[in-house]
């Protein structure tokens, strides 16, 4: 989370040296969010795979610890197993972060213009961050669902009581099979808790991000 924000802030500061990005702040925020999201997800994917499998495995079976999970995946599936779902993850997180950061900054800039203020109160920051998280998650949710389904492949023996295991050859095949077998609603299964979580996390992330940036700037 904060690693992604750090990458975004770094891109945002350095991209200002490019005339195009300096003149088009909305595009700068969108591109910066996408780059930061892709970078963060590439690093975090192995731990995301382990987390997903811990959630999906049956009681008293499967992995016993994070170390056991990592070593077992490498032994049985190779290093590639740690990066299952990377393509849909990056495909989802890049536009997710782009939409999230783009929407957040769009809302704040329009609020400043409409209210004719330079400073934005904390509750407005929290609201803008929450709304941007909800919008972003809703837009990319089918890819997020696909990522999780790919991450639990080759793990069927440890999850026999949590519903059907869909076997696919990749992201597009998973999207196709999900739509064919479950129709459009299948692509948005679990959307409600996902957007609630995303909205809350996004709101708090942006809130603390702005607080840290403000505190840092006061020390300079």
């Amino acid at each position: 989370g904060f690693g992604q924000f750090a990458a975004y802030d770094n891109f945002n500061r350095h991209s200002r040296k490019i005339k195009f990005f300096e003149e088009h702040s909305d595009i700068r925020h969108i591109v910066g969010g996408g780059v930061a999201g892709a970078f963060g997800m590439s690093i975090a994917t192995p731990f995301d795979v382990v987390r997903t499998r811990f959630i999906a495995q049956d009681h008293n079976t499967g992995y016993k610890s994070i170390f056991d999970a990592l070593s077992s995946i490498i032994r049985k599936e190779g290093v590639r197993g740690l990066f299952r779902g990377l393509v849909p993850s990056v495909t989802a997180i890049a536009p997710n972060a782009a939409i999230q950061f783009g929407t957040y900054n769009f809302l704040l800039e329009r609020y400043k213009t409409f209210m004719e203020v330079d400073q934005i109160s904390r509750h407005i920051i929290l609201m803008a961050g929450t709304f941007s998280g909800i919008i972003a998650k809703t837009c990319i949710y089918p890819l997020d669902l696909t990522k999780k389904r790919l991450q639990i492949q080759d793990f069927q023996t440890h999850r026999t009581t949590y519903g059907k295991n869909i076997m696919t050859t990749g992201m597009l095949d998973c999207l196709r099979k999900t739509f064919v077998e479950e129709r459009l609603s299948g692509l948005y299964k679990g959307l409600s808790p996902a957007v609630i979580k995303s909205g809350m996390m996004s709101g708090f992330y942006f809130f603390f991000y702005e607080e840290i940036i403000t505190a840092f700037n006061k020390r300079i």
Side-chain angles (χ1 to χ4, degrees), residues 11-42:
F11 176 89
N12 192 39
R13 285 187 289 106
H14 288 290
S15 63
R16 288 177 180 273
K17 299 175 184 178
I18 301 174
K19 185 179 179 181
F20 177 80
F21 284 127
E22 179 61 26
E23 295 176 350
H24 300 82
S25 61
D26 287 342
I27 296 177
R28 185 178 72 248
H29 294 308
I30 292 172
V31 174
V35 171
F39 175 77
M41 180 52 68
S42 297

Side-chain angles (χ1 to χ4, degrees), residues 43-84:
I43 296 174
T45 292
F47 301 99
D48 194 40
V49 171
V50 170
R51 179 182 68 90
T52 299
R53 292 192 176 187
F54 265 118
I55 294 172
Q57 69 184 17
D58 295 323
H59 183 60
N60 291 329
T61 185
Y63 308 130
K64 297 178 176 60
S65 65
I66 294 177
F67 178 77
D68 178 46
L70 291 171
S71 60
S72 179
I73 291 172
I74 293 174
R75 185 174 63 256
K76 296 178 181 179
E77 305 170 45
V79 175
R80 182 181 178 182
L82 294 174
F83 291 90
R84 283 190 179 277

Side-chain angles (χ1 to χ4, degrees), residues 58 149 152-161 164-168:
D58 295 323
R149 289 191 168 182
I152 59 174
Q153 288 201 134
D154 288 341
F155 192 61
Q156 292 82 356
T157 57
H158 298 300
R159 60 178 311 272
T160 59
T161 61
K164 182 180 179 180
N165 291 292
I166 296 180
M167 293 302 297
T168 68

Side-chain angles (χ1 to χ4, degrees), residues 51-191:
R51 179 182 68 90
T52 299
R53 292 192 176 187
F54 265 118
I55 294 172
Q57 69 184 17
D58 295 323
H59 183 60
N60 291 329
T61 185
Y63 308 130
K64 297 178 176 60
S65 65
I66 294 177
F67 178 77
D68 178 46
L70 291 171
S71 60
S72 179
I73 291 172
I74 293 174
R75 185 174 63 256
K76 296 178 181 179
E77 305 170 45
V79 175
R80 182 181 178 182
L82 294 174
F83 291 90
R84 283 190 179 277
L86 178 61
V87 173
S89 293
V90 173
T91 304
I93 198 63
N96 179 83
I99 295 170
Q100 187 178 17
F101 282 96
T103 301
Y104 173 75
N105 285 283
F106 175 84
L107 291 174
L108 292 192
E109 290 300 322
R110 298 308 178 273
Y111 178 83
K112 286 181 180 179
T113 302
F114 182 76
M115 299 301 293
E116 298 182 347
V117 296
D118 294 324
Q119 298 295 322
I120 299 179
S121 61
R122 290 183 173 87
H123 74 277
I124 295 298
I125 290 173
L126 189 61
M127 289 174 60
T130 300
F131 188 71
S132 67
I134 292 173
I135 292 296
K137 178 61 73 174
T138 302
C139 289
I140 60 88
Y141 189 74
L143 292 174
D144 195 46
L145 177 76
T146 300
K147 174 195 72 174
K148 288 181 171 59
R149 289 191 168 182
L150 289 175
Q151 288 177 341
I152 59 174
Q153 288 201 134
D154 288 341
F155 192 61
Q156 292 82 356
T157 57
H158 298 300
R159 60 178 311 272
T160 59
T161 61
Y162 288 101
K164 182 180 179 180
N165 291 292
I166 296 180
M167 293 302 297
T168 68
T169 57
M171 181 181 73
L172 295 179
D173 186 46
C174 185
L175 286 170
R176 182 187 65 79
K177 285 187 176 179
T178 299
F179 181 76
V180 169
E181 296 181 15
E182 304 174 53
R183 312 312 299 173
L184 185 62
S185 61
L187 295 173
Y188 288 91
K189 185 177 291 184
L191 176 64

